[in-house]
């Protein structure tokens, strides 16, 4: 069956450290993978996109890696801040698909 | 350029009533997606529409749920004879005509509570 799994437990880290979130998928052939941020009571907001032929993408303090052999994406937030506290969702679009498939999300709390 | 607009933000319905959720995509976007989110769960795909056309409804329950995206006006997600299990946050997203190599822009969601 198809699955997209993210860190099952909430992640708590100290301010200034690097947060690393994982996204593993099974039985998908993604054309690309995306990361979104969702705050309580709000809709998801797009952060980064990485294509199947790209290994790494950066945007300010954010970095995403994509390993199609391991079927895994890692999402890093460097120099984390309390304002980074939110739920982070990974999503993928298949080569033949019309829709975005989402993981269950990882709740991140950055402790001052 | 206004973002994706959903209304109402909160909707309370009694069991057996109908719920109508509206979504106006971003200007220039012709693709609309509906997702459902239960507490502590991820976004579950329901349906993907283009103007006057349902492209993929593989995530829609077989009964009571329907969606449309008319030539004029917002996309509508309709739930007939609601039950308690329909209580959830329903999110709409839109994207430009070229769906690949782009992101989805989400609305703030409609929180449906069935009492």
């Amino acid at each position: 069956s198809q699955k997209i799994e993210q860190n099952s437990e909430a992640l708590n880290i100290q301010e200034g450290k690097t947060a690393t979130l994982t996204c593993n998928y099974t039985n998908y052939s993604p054309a690309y993978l995306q990361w979104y941020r969702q705050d309580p009571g709000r809709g998801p907001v797009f952060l980064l996109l990485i294509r199947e032929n790209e290994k790494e993408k950066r945007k300010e303090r954010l970095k995403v890696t994509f390993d199609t052999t391991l079927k895994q994406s890692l999402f890093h937030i460097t120099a984390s801040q309390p304002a980074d506290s939110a739920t982070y969702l990974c999503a993928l679009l298949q080569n033949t698909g019309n829709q975005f498939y989402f993981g269950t999300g990882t709740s991140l709390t950055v402790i001052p | 350029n206004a973002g994706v607009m959903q209304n109402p933000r909160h909707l309370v319905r009694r069991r057996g009533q109908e719920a109508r959720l509206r979504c106006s995509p971003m200007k220039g976007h012709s693709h609309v997606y509906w997702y459902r989110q239960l507490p502590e769960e991820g976004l579950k795909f329901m349906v993907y529409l283009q103007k006057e056309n349902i492209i993929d409804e593989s995530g829609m329950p077989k009964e009571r749920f329907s969606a449309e995206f008319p030539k004029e006006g917002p996309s509508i997600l309709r739930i007939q004879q609601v039950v308690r299990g329909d209580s959830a946050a329903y999110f709409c997203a839109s994207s430009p005509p070229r769906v690949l190599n782009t992101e989805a822009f989400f609305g703030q969601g409609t929180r449906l509570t069935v009492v």
Side-chain angles (χ1 to χ4, degrees), chain B residues 30-49:
Chain B
S30 56
H31 296 218
V32 165
Y33 309 81
W34 284 94
Y35 289 83
R36 176 162 65 178
Q37 188 174 42
L38 293 167
E40 309 304 322
E41 292 188 15
L43 291 157
K44 301 295 184 188
F45 169 78
M46 299 182 74
V47 63
Y48 163 45
L49 311 107

Side-chain angles (χ1 to χ4, degrees), chain B:
Chain B
N1 188 10
V4 177
M5 303 300 291
Q6 289 188 250
N7 67 82
R9 289 293 306 276
H10 301 274
L11 182 62
V12 178
R13 283 286 177 267
R14 294 187 182 279
R15 279 181 297 170
Q17 289 184 320
E18 179 179 288
R20 280 185 177 238
L21 289 62
R22 294 174 183 77
C23 170
S24 296
M26 286 182 69
K27 188 176 180 181
H29 286 190
S30 56
H31 296 218
V32 165
Y33 309 81
W34 284 94
Y35 289 83
R36 176 162 65 178
Q37 188 174 42
L38 293 167
E40 309 304 322
E41 292 188 15
L43 291 157
K44 301 295 184 188
F45 169 78
M46 299 182 74
V47 63
Y48 163 45
L49 311 107
Q50 293 179 17
K51 288 277 187 183
E52 301 183 281
N53 210 3
I54 297 175
I55 306 301
D56 182 349
E57 57 181 348
S58 58
M60 287 279 270
K62 293 289 184 285
E63 298 176 346
R64 302 188 298 108
F65 285 72
S66 62
E68 63 176 5
F69 189 15
K71 187 177 179 181
E72 302 291 337
S75 175
I76 306 285
L77 179 66
R78 183 180 175 206
I79 311 173
Q80 294 178 294
Q81 299 175 330
V82 296
V83 301
R84 288 233 170 95
D86 296 333
S87 296
Y90 291 83
F91 288 97
C92 166
S94 73
S95 67
R98 190 178 169 187
V99 67
L100 289 178
N101 298 325
T102 188
E103 71 264 28
F105 294 83
F106 281 83
Q108 299 296 356
T110 293
R111 275 139 194 89
L112 172 66
T113 303
V114 179
V115 298

Side-chain angles (χ1 to χ4, degrees), chain A residues 44-94:
Chain A
V45 175
F46 172 79
L47 296 174
L48 274 174
L49 175 156
I50 187 165
R51 297 178 180 81
E52 59 179 332
N53 60 349
E54 297 177 320
K55 296 288 186 189
E56 183 179 297
K57 207 73 168 289
R58 291 175 185 261
K59 179 181 176 183
E60 298 173 352
R61 294 185 296 113
L62 308 180
K63 185 177 87 170
V64 172
T65 63
F66 193 11
D67 189 327
T68 54
T69 302
L70 292 178
K71 298 187 186 301
Q72 180 182 78
S73 174
L74 298 179
F75 178 76
H76 306 272
I77 306 175
T78 59
S80 60
Q81 304 166 0
D84 296 327
S85 299
T87 295
Y88 291 85
L89 304 165
C90 70
L92 56 85
L93 180 72
Q94 294 220 88

